Amino acid sequence: MIGETFDDYLDGDGNISILGNATLIDFVDKHSAANGDELAYRYIDYSRERDGEYHELTWRQFGARLRAVAARLQQVTAPRDRVAILAPQGLDYVVGMFAAVYAGNIAVPLFDPEEPGHTDRLHAVLGDCRPTAILTATSAAPGVREFFRAMPAARRPRIIAVDAIPDSVGAAWTAPDIDIDSVAYLQYTSGSTRTPAGVEITHRSVGTNLLQMIDALGIDESARGVTWLPLFHDMGLLCVILPAIGGKFITIMSPSAFVRRPYRWIKELAAASDGAATYAAAPNFAFEHAAVRGRPKSGESLDLSNVIGLINGSEPVSVAAMTKFNEAFTPYGLPKTAIKPCYGMAEATLFVSATRREDAAKVVYADRSRLNAGELVVVDQDAPTAVAQVSCGYVARSQWAVIVGEDDGELPDGRVGEIWLHGDNMGIGYWDRPQESEHTFRARLTARVPRGSHAEGTEPSAHWMRTGDYGVYHEGELYITGRVKDLVIVDGRNHYPQDLEMTAQESSTALRPGFVAAFSVREDELPPEATVTGSDGGAENLVMVAERASGAAKLEAGPVIEEVRAAISAGHGVAVRDLLLVPAGSIPRTSSGKIARRACKTAYVEGTLRGGYRQQSFPDETED
C-alpha cells in the first residue's frame, strides 16, 4: 500500500512509518501505473548544443526501461550480487541505478572511468564490492571495457549497455524476493588514507530519508527538482530518487554544464508555465559561483518566486556565499527563505537537519575562545572575538541527534561535542566491515541529560551512529562546528580549521577564496626550511597552505605571508609556523569540491605541494 499524502506515513506518535513496508520498486510501480504519461525525468545535454538537447522519460517509459534492464541482469546475476553503475551523467545512469534494484541486486552508484582524477578510487571501490555486472551507456562502453581489460577474463564483470536493451526484454522480468530491510544500494564514502567503505542503504533507510526531506522542505506532488550534482554522490543520488516518493519530475544536467554556465541551473529553477514550485541542492561554492557568473543578461526576464528550497550542504556554509546569492537574485523574486543550510551525511542516507521552509537562514556570532573551549556563547556581531556560525536548522522528524562528550554521555545545549545519530533513515553498516560497522553504527549512550534530552523518544538500549562531526544545539537548532579529526590543537588550545582559513582569506586579496587549508604538523614532520634547532620534535604546529588568487601569481610571497600571519595571530592568538603559497589547482579537494585537509597535510609533509604540482586525484569527503 502506497500513501496518497505525507500524513499517510505518520503513525499515532507522529513518526514516519512506511505503509505496507513498501520498497523502491513499489513506489516506482505506483507512479508508472497511476501517472504513466506524466514526465518522470528530464536530462538536458549541453555537450553539443549551447541551449541543450532535451531527453525525457515518462513514468510509463521509465517503468518499461527498468524491467527490461532488470530482466537482463536477472539472466546473468544472482540476488544480492553487486551491480555497479559506470555511466556518464544522464538518463541511462538513472535507469541503471533503479534497474539494479528492480533485479534484486545491490546497486553501487559510481562513475564513468573517463572521469578525471578518480581512477585509484574506482579501482578501490570495485575491489571492495566485487560487482558481478557493470551497467553503462553505449557511448561509454568502450572505455569501461578497457578499464577492465587487465583483469583476468574469469574475474571480469559482465558489462551491459543500458540503452542497448530493448523494452521487449522486460517481459521476462520477475519480481525479486526483497523486503523493506533489504540493502538497495551501497553509498561509498571514504578517505585518502584507507580503502573506501560502502554504506549499506536499505529500502527503509532511503524511503524514510526521502519522506523526511519532503516533510522538512514542504515538497508536495506539484514540486519539481533541478540538479547538476554528480549522481554518484549521496546528495545527487537522493535528488533523483526523490520523484519516486513524491513530487513531479526532476531536471538533470551535468556538473560541467553548471560550472561553465551557472545560469543554466538558475534558469531551470525559474517559474515555468506549469506554475510548479522548484527545489534543488548544491554545495556552498555553487551559490557564490552562481552569484558571480549566473545572473541573467540585461533585460532578460526571470521569475524565481516559486523556489521553495535550495539545500546548501555537503560543505561548511559561509555567510558570504549566501549573502552574495541573495543579493544577486532577490531582484528576480527569489524568496529570502530560499536558501536552506542543512546537515547530512552518507551514513544517514543523506539528510539529517534543515532550516524550516518558512524560515530564512539563521546566523549567530559566537565567542571564538569559548567555542574553541567547547561552549557556544553568543556575542555581538561586532565583538572582536566574534565568529559566525550558520544554523543547520532543526533535526528531521523521526531522526534523533545528540551531542556527546568524551565519556559517551549526552551534553546539554550550548556545549560542543560529537554528533551521534539514530533513526530508520540510518544505513545499517559498512559493506563487509563488521568491526568498523560495530564501532561506528552501534554506539550506546552512557547517560542522557535529565531535562530536554535530544534522545527523547528512543529506547534506552538504542544504537547510535558516531558521525565524527562536532556540533552544538542553540535554541533548538543544530550548529556544526567542524570535523573531530580536523581539529587543530596547538599549545593545548583547540582551533577549528575553517575559522583559521576564513581569517586568512579575508586578510589578503592575494589568496584564492575557498582554497586555503589549515592543519597541524608535528615538529619532526616539518620541512627543513620551517624547522627550529632544539625544538620539541613532538610539538604540534599550525601550518597553512593557500592557493594564489587570480592575478596574484607574480606577487612576492613575503609580504602576503606576513599579512596573513599577523591576522591569524591577532584573531586567534596562535602563530602560523609555515604558510605555503601555491598555484591554483595545488590543494587536494574532494570530488564534491571540499578542501581535503588530511590529504593536503600528507602532500605538505611529503613535499609534493612545493614546485607547482597540480592535484590529479580527488579524495572523498569523509576522510579517515
Side-chain angles (χ1 to χ4, degrees), residues 273-323:
S273 58
D274 60 5
T278 57
Y279 62 89
N284 186 73
F285 87 87
F287 291 88
E288 190 154 2
H289 183 57
V292 174
R293 298 185 56 194
R295 302 187 195 208
K297 295 178 181 178
S298 179
E300 189 170 352
S301 62
L302 182 71
D303 180 7
L304 295 172
S305 60
N306 59 319
V307 178
I308 60 170
L310 300 176
I311 292 176
N312 187 339
S314 177
E315 61 187 15
V317 178
S318 82
V319 177
M322 292 193 298
T323 300

Tab-separated table of all heavy atoms in Angstrom, residues 273-323:
chain	number	residue	atom	x	y	z
A	273	SER	N	5.508	27.598	-17.062
A	273	SER	CA	4.073	27.717	-17.308
A	273	SER	C	3.241	26.807	-16.416
A	273	SER	O	2.065	27.059	-16.189
A	273	SER	CB	3.774	27.396	-18.775
A	273	SER	OG	4.234	26.096	-19.115
A	274	ASP	N	3.874	25.730	-15.892
A	274	ASP	CA	3.118	24.833	-15.013
A	274	ASP	C	2.917	25.414	-13.626
A	274	ASP	O	2.170	24.865	-12.812
A	274	ASP	CB	3.797	23.467	-14.918
A	274	ASP	CG	5.221	23.531	-14.359
A	274	ASP	OD1	5.653	24.620	-13.952
A	274	ASP	OD2	5.900	22.480	-14.323
A	275	GLY	N	3.625	26.511	-13.304
A	275	GLY	CA	3.470	27.167	-12.005
A	275	GLY	C	4.001	26.363	-10.838
A	275	GLY	O	3.734	26.684	-9.677
A	276	ALA	N	4.764	25.311	-11.105
A	276	ALA	CA	5.238	24.426	-10.046
A	276	ALA	C	6.290	25.091	-9.177
A	276	ALA	O	7.104	25.895	-9.648
A	276	ALA	CB	5.814	23.150	-10.652
A	277	ALA	N	6.273	24.723	-7.895
A	277	ALA	CA	7.358	25.108	-7.001
A	277	ALA	C	8.599	24.320	-7.395
A	277	ALA	O	8.499	23.209	-7.908
A	277	ALA	CB	6.969	24.817	-5.559
A	278	THR	N	9.786	24.891	-7.156
A	278	THR	CA	11.023	24.199	-7.509
A	278	THR	C	11.936	24.099	-6.299
A	278	THR	O	11.879	24.912	-5.378
A	278	THR	CB	11.771	24.902	-8.653
A	278	THR	OG1	12.043	26.257	-8.285
A	278	THR	CG2	10.969	24.880	-9.935
A	279	TYR	N	12.796	23.081	-6.333
A	279	TYR	CA	13.771	22.873	-5.257
A	279	TYR	C	15.051	22.332	-5.870
A	279	TYR	O	15.070	21.816	-7.006
A	279	TYR	CB	13.226	21.899	-4.204
A	279	TYR	CG	12.937	20.525	-4.741
A	279	TYR	CD1	13.917	19.526	-4.753
A	279	TYR	CD2	11.677	20.207	-5.266
A	279	TYR	CE1	13.653	18.272	-5.263
A	279	TYR	CE2	11.409	18.951	-5.788
A	279	TYR	CZ	12.400	17.984	-5.791
A	279	TYR	OH	12.154	16.742	-6.303
A	280	ALA	N	16.143	22.435	-5.128
A	280	ALA	CA	17.442	21.946	-5.597
A	280	ALA	C	18.352	21.789	-4.397
A	280	ALA	O	18.029	22.204	-3.279
A	280	ALA	CB	18.052	22.902	-6.623
A	281	ALA	N	19.513	21.197	-4.643
A	281	ALA	CA	20.539	21.057	-3.608
A	281	ALA	C	21.887	21.319	-4.249
A	281	ALA	O	22.115	20.980	-5.411
A	281	ALA	CB	20.506	19.647	-3.000
A	282	ALA	N	22.787	21.938	-3.488
A	282	ALA	CA	24.115	22.249	-4.019
A	282	ALA	C	25.066	22.524	-2.866
A	282	ALA	O	24.636	22.968	-1.796
A	282	ALA	CB	24.057	23.462	-4.945
A	283	PRO	N	26.365	22.284	-3.071
A	283	PRO	CA	27.350	22.663	-2.049
A	283	PRO	C	27.534	24.164	-2.015
A	283	PRO	O	27.133	24.892	-2.935
A	283	PRO	CB	28.625	21.942	-2.506
A	283	PRO	CG	28.447	21.753	-3.971
A	283	PRO	CD	26.967	21.574	-4.198
A	284	ASN	N	28.148	24.649	-0.951
A	284	ASN	CA	28.255	26.082	-0.710
A	284	ASN	C	28.896	26.848	-1.869
A	284	ASN	O	28.450	27.947	-2.227
A	284	ASN	CB	29.050	26.312	0.576
A	284	ASN	CG	29.090	27.761	0.985
A	284	ASN	OD1	28.106	28.320	1.457
A	284	ASN	ND2	30.232	28.408	0.800
A	285	PHE	N	29.950	26.285	-2.483
A	285	PHE	CA	30.660	27.025	-3.521
A	285	PHE	C	29.745	27.380	-4.685
A	285	PHE	O	29.942	28.389	-5.377
A	285	PHE	CB	31.867	26.227	-4.026
A	285	PHE	CG	31.560	25.254	-5.136
A	285	PHE	CD1	31.579	25.658	-6.470
A	285	PHE	CD2	31.248	23.934	-4.862
A	285	PHE	CE1	31.298	24.765	-7.492
A	285	PHE	CE2	30.966	23.040	-5.878
A	285	PHE	CZ	30.985	23.452	-7.196
A	286	ALA	N	28.717	26.548	-4.938
A	286	ALA	CA	27.839	26.767	-6.081
A	286	ALA	C	27.049	28.065	-5.958
A	286	ALA	O	26.746	28.720	-6.968
A	286	ALA	CB	26.877	25.591	-6.224
A	287	PHE	N	26.717	28.457	-4.736
A	287	PHE	CA	25.932	29.674	-4.542
A	287	PHE	C	26.760	30.911	-4.883
A	287	PHE	O	26.266	31.854	-5.508
A	287	PHE	CB	25.406	29.722	-3.107
A	287	PHE	CG	24.373	28.676	-2.828
A	287	PHE	CD1	24.729	27.403	-2.386
A	287	PHE	CD2	23.026	28.928	-3.039
A	287	PHE	CE1	23.784	26.421	-2.158
A	287	PHE	CE2	22.061	27.952	-2.807
A	287	PHE	CZ	22.445	26.692	-2.371
A	288	GLU	N	28.027	30.895	-4.472
A	288	GLU	CA	28.902	32.023	-4.806
A	288	GLU	C	29.195	32.040	-6.307
A	288	GLU	O	29.208	33.096	-6.932
A	288	GLU	CB	30.200	31.931	-4.006
A	288	GLU	CG	31.060	33.172	-4.112
A	288	GLU	CD	31.962	33.354	-2.900
A	288	GLU	OE1	31.945	32.508	-1.991
A	288	GLU	OE2	32.673	34.365	-2.872
A	289	HIS	N	29.417	30.866	-6.887
A	289	HIS	CA	29.706	30.778	-8.317
A	289	HIS	C	28.521	31.290	-9.140
A	289	HIS	O	28.696	32.049	-10.105
A	289	HIS	CB	30.013	29.321	-8.677
A	289	HIS	CG	30.407	29.100	-10.102
A	289	HIS	ND1	31.471	29.754	-10.681
A	289	HIS	CD2	29.877	28.286	-11.067
A	289	HIS	CE1	31.588	29.362	-11.945
A	289	HIS	NE2	30.633	28.466	-12.195
A	290	ALA	N	27.308	30.892	-8.745
A	290	ALA	CA	26.119	31.341	-9.473
A	290	ALA	C	25.891	32.835	-9.299
A	290	ALA	O	25.454	33.523	-10.237
A	290	ALA	CB	24.895	30.553	-8.986
A	291	ALA	N	26.192	33.361	-8.111
A	291	ALA	CA	26.012	34.791	-7.863
A	291	ALA	C	26.923	35.630	-8.748
A	291	ALA	O	26.548	36.707	-9.219
A	291	ALA	CB	26.269	35.108	-6.395
A	292	VAL	N	28.127	35.122	-8.988
A	292	VAL	CA	29.110	35.872	-9.775
A	292	VAL	C	28.880	35.700	-11.274
A	292	VAL	O	28.955	36.678	-12.041
A	292	VAL	CB	30.546	35.419	-9.405
A	292	VAL	CG1	31.578	36.079	-10.322
A	292	VAL	CG2	30.840	35.762	-7.953
A	293	ARG	N	28.555	34.461	-11.699
A	293	ARG	CA	28.522	34.189	-13.134
A	293	ARG	C	27.169	33.706	-13.650
A	293	ARG	O	27.049	33.372	-14.829
A	293	ARG	CB	29.574	33.134	-13.477
A	293	ARG	CG	31.003	33.571	-13.176
A	293	ARG	CD	32.010	32.545	-13.654
A	293	ARG	NE	31.844	32.265	-15.080
A	293	ARG	CZ	32.394	31.229	-15.701
A	293	ARG	NH1	33.146	30.369	-15.024
A	293	ARG	NH2	32.198	31.025	-17.002
A	294	GLY	N	26.149	33.669	-12.788
A	294	GLY	CA	24.887	33.073	-13.210
A	294	GLY	C	23.719	34.027	-13.333
A	294	GLY	O	22.575	33.593	-13.462
A	295	ARG	N	23.986	35.323	-13.341
A	295	ARG	CA	22.875	36.278	-13.476
A	295	ARG	C	22.398	36.340	-14.924
A	295	ARG	O	23.168	36.121	-15.850
A	295	ARG	CB	23.320	37.667	-13.032
A	295	ARG	CG	23.826	37.726	-11.606
A	295	ARG	CD	24.087	39.156	-11.196
A	295	ARG	NE	24.898	39.240	-9.981
A	295	ARG	CZ	24.842	40.237	-9.128
A	295	ARG	NH1	24.029	41.251	-9.354
A	295	ARG	NH2	25.591	40.249	-8.050
A	296	PRO	N	21.123	36.661	-15.107
A	296	PRO	CA	20.618	36.781	-16.489
A	296	PRO	C	21.216	38.005	-17.177
A	296	PRO	O	21.702	38.936	-16.527
A	296	PRO	CB	19.110	36.934	-16.292
A	296	PRO	CG	18.952	37.480	-14.907
A	296	PRO	CD	20.081	36.894	-14.106
A	297	LYS	N	21.153	37.981	-18.493
A	297	LYS	CA	21.631	39.140	-19.250
A	297	LYS	C	20.700	40.318	-19.034
A	297	LYS	O	19.531	40.165	-18.670
A	297	LYS	CB	21.702	38.783	-20.739
A	297	LYS	CG	22.742	37.710	-21.057
A	297	LYS	CD	22.725	37.374	-22.541
A	297	LYS	CE	23.743	36.288	-22.857
A	297	LYS	NZ	23.707	35.905	-24.296
A	298	SER	N	21.225	41.495	-19.268
A	298	SER	CA	20.439	42.716	-19.084
A	298	SER	C	19.166	42.651	-19.920
A	298	SER	O	19.202	42.329	-21.112
A	298	SER	CB	21.275	43.932	-19.501
A	298	SER	OG	20.525	45.102	-19.357
A	299	GLY	N	18.043	42.916	-19.269
A	299	GLY	CA	16.763	42.922	-19.955
A	299	GLY	C	16.073	41.577	-20.027
A	299	GLY	O	14.911	41.481	-20.440
A	300	GLU	N	16.761	40.523	-19.641
A	300	GLU	CA	16.169	39.188	-19.682
A	300	GLU	C	15.274	38.973	-18.469
A	300	GLU	O	15.638	39.317	-17.343
A	300	GLU	CB	17.274	38.129	-19.712
A	300	GLU	CG	16.774	36.726	-19.977
A	300	GLU	CD	17.914	35.756	-20.247
A	300	GLU	OE1	19.074	36.212	-20.368
A	300	GLU	OE2	17.643	34.541	-20.331
A	301	SER	N	14.086	38.438	-18.686
A	301	SER	CA	13.140	38.230	-17.583
A	301	SER	C	13.456	36.926	-16.862
A	301	SER	O	13.902	35.944	-17.467
A	301	SER	CB	11.704	38.198	-18.111
A	301	SER	OG	11.537	37.127	-19.012
A	302	LEU	N	13.218	36.931	-15.559
A	302	LEU	CA	13.486	35.762	-14.724
A	302	LEU	C	12.622	35.863	-13.482
A	302	LEU	O	12.622	36.885	-12.797
A	302	LEU	CB	14.969	35.729	-14.337
A	302	LEU	CG	15.441	34.542	-13.486
A	302	LEU	CD1	15.449	33.271	-14.320
A	302	LEU	CD2	16.833	34.808	-12.929
A	303	ASP	N	11.876	34.823	-13.182
A	303	ASP	CA	10.993	34.813	-12.015
A	303	ASP	C	11.359	33.635	-11.121
A	303	ASP	O	11.109	32.477	-11.452
A	303	ASP	CB	9.538	34.710	-12.463
A	303	ASP	CG	8.561	34.697	-11.282
A	303	ASP	OD1	9.010	34.893	-10.133
A	303	ASP	OD2	7.357	34.485	-11.514
A	304	LEU	N	11.973	33.936	-9.970
A	304	LEU	CA	12.396	32.905	-9.024
A	304	LEU	C	11.497	32.847	-7.793
A	304	LEU	O	11.864	32.252	-6.784
A	304	LEU	CB	13.841	33.154	-8.600
A	304	LEU	CG	14.890	33.038	-9.713
A	304	LEU	CD1	16.250	33.508	-9.205
A	304	LEU	CD2	14.974	31.607	-10.228
A	305	SER	N	10.322	33.431	-7.887
A	305	SER	CA	9.438	33.499	-6.716
A	305	SER	C	8.889	32.132	-6.322
A	305	SER	O	8.380	31.965	-5.215
A	305	SER	CB	8.273	34.457	-6.994
A	305	SER	OG	7.512	34.008	-8.112
A	306	ASN	N	8.990	31.156	-7.221
A	306	ASN	CA	8.449	29.824	-6.951
A	306	ASN	C	9.446	28.895	-6.269
A	306	ASN	O	9.123	27.753	-5.965
A	306	ASN	CB	8.011	29.169	-8.263
A	306	ASN	CG	9.176	29.057	-9.236
A	306	ASN	OD1	9.976	29.973	-9.366
A	306	ASN	ND2	9.289	27.935	-9.917
A	307	VAL	N	10.677	29.348	-6.013
A	307	VAL	CA	11.693	28.489	-5.398
A	307	VAL	C	11.363	28.289	-3.916
A	307	VAL	O	11.294	29.252	-3.150
A	307	VAL	CB	13.098	29.101	-5.542
A	307	VAL	CG1	14.137	28.217	-4.847
A	307	VAL	CG2	13.461	29.262	-7.021
A	308	ILE	N	11.160	27.039	-3.504
A	308	ILE	CA	10.778	26.774	-2.113
A	308	ILE	C	11.952	26.339	-1.252
A	308	ILE	O	11.890	26.425	-0.025
A	308	ILE	CB	9.669	25.711	-2.020
A	308	ILE	CG1	10.122	24.384	-2.635
A	308	ILE	CG2	8.384	26.203	-2.656
A	308	ILE	CD1	9.178	23.228	-2.378
A	309	GLY	N	13.013	25.848	-1.880
A	309	GLY	CA	14.127	25.400	-1.058
A	309	GLY	C	15.356	25.080	-1.880
A	309	GLY	O	15.293	24.315	-2.836
A	310	LEU	N	16.481	25.695	-1.499
A	310	LEU	CA	17.776	25.393	-2.096
A	310	LEU	C	18.655	24.863	-0.979
A	310	LEU	O	19.170	25.624	-0.153
A	310	LEU	CB	18.393	26.652	-2.721
A	310	LEU	CG	17.576	27.320	-3.833
A	310	LEU	CD1	18.244	28.609	-4.289
A	310	LEU	CD2	17.391	26.365	-5.019
A	311	ILE	N	18.781	23.545	-0.909
A	311	ILE	CA	19.578	22.922	0.139
A	311	ILE	C	21.035	23.314	-0.041
A	311	ILE	O	21.623	23.101	-1.098
A	311	ILE	CB	19.434	21.394	0.103
A	311	ILE	CG1	18.006	20.994	0.495
A	311	ILE	CG2	20.454	20.720	1.014
A	311	ILE	CD1	17.754	19.507	0.381
A	312	ASN	N	21.608	23.903	0.985
A	312	ASN	CA	23.025	24.264	0.989
A	312	ASN	C	23.706	23.311	1.958
A	312	ASN	O	23.581	23.435	3.166
A	312	ASN	CB	23.210	25.722	1.426
A	312	ASN	CG	24.645	26.197	1.296
A	312	ASN	OD1	25.571	25.402	1.252
A	312	ASN	ND2	24.828	27.512	1.259
A	313	GLY	N	24.394	22.329	1.422
A	313	GLY	CA	25.002	21.327	2.277
A	313	GLY	C	26.274	20.785	1.670
A	313	GLY	O	26.818	21.362	0.730
A	314	SER	N	26.776	19.691	2.191
A	314	SER	CA	27.944	18.974	1.718
A	314	SER	C	29.264	19.581	2.144
A	314	SER	O	30.272	18.902	2.191
A	314	SER	CB	27.920	18.838	0.183
A	314	SER	OG	29.082	18.211	-0.300
A	315	GLU	N	29.285	20.872	2.470
A	315	GLU	CA	30.496	21.528	2.942
A	315	GLU	C	30.073	22.677	3.844
A	315	GLU	O	28.911	23.083	3.837
A	315	GLU	CB	31.344	22.028	1.777
A	315	GLU	CG	30.660	23.060	0.889
A	315	GLU	CD	31.492	23.392	-0.350
A	315	GLU	OE1	32.427	22.647	-0.652
A	315	GLU	OE2	31.199	24.408	-1.002
A	316	PRO	N	30.980	23.232	4.664
A	316	PRO	CA	30.594	24.326	5.558
A	316	PRO	C	29.926	25.474	4.807
A	316	PRO	O	30.380	25.888	3.740
A	316	PRO	CB	31.936	24.756	6.164
A	316	PRO	CG	32.766	23.519	6.138
A	316	PRO	CD	32.379	22.807	4.871
A	317	VAL	N	28.842	25.967	5.372
A	317	VAL	CA	28.058	27.039	4.755
A	317	VAL	C	28.652	28.380	5.157
A	317	VAL	O	28.840	28.655	6.343
A	317	VAL	CB	26.585	26.949	5.200
A	317	VAL	CG1	25.776	28.088	4.604
A	317	VAL	CG2	25.995	25.591	4.805
A	318	SER	N	28.930	29.227	4.181
A	318	SER	CA	29.505	30.541	4.501
A	318	SER	C	28.446	31.626	4.377
A	318	SER	O	27.589	31.598	3.480
A	318	SER	CB	30.691	30.854	3.585
A	318	SER	OG	30.263	31.355	2.353
A	319	VAL	N	28.523	32.581	5.279
A	319	VAL	CA	27.604	33.719	5.259
A	319	VAL	C	27.803	34.516	3.971
A	319	VAL	O	26.843	34.978	3.347
A	319	VAL	CB	27.836	34.613	6.493
A	319	VAL	CG1	26.933	35.843	6.443
A	319	VAL	CG2	27.588	33.822	7.776
A	320	ALA	N	29.057	34.659	3.545
A	320	ALA	CA	29.361	35.458	2.354
A	320	ALA	C	28.690	34.880	1.118
A	320	ALA	O	28.130	35.622	0.296
A	320	ALA	CB	30.868	35.536	2.152
A	321	ALA	N	28.738	33.553	0.957
A	321	ALA	CA	28.142	32.927	-0.222
A	321	ALA	C	26.632	33.141	-0.239
A	321	ALA	O	26.046	33.436	-1.293
A	321	ALA	CB	28.479	31.437	-0.251
A	322	MET	N	25.978	32.956	0.921
A	322	MET	CA	24.529	33.159	0.982
A	322	MET	C	24.173	34.610	0.686
A	322	MET	O	23.213	34.895	-0.036
A	322	MET	CB	24.003	32.744	2.359
A	322	MET	CG	24.083	31.258	2.633
A	322	MET	SD	23.131	30.764	4.094
A	322	MET	CE	23.977	31.678	5.400
A	323	THR	N	24.949	35.540	1.246
A	323	THR	CA	24.673	36.964	1.042
A	323	THR	C	24.793	37.332	-0.432
A	323	THR	O	23.925	38.023	-0.991
A	323	THR	CB	25.637	37.815	1.883
A	323	THR	OG1	25.472	37.488	3.263
A	323	THR	CG2	25.365	39.293	1.672
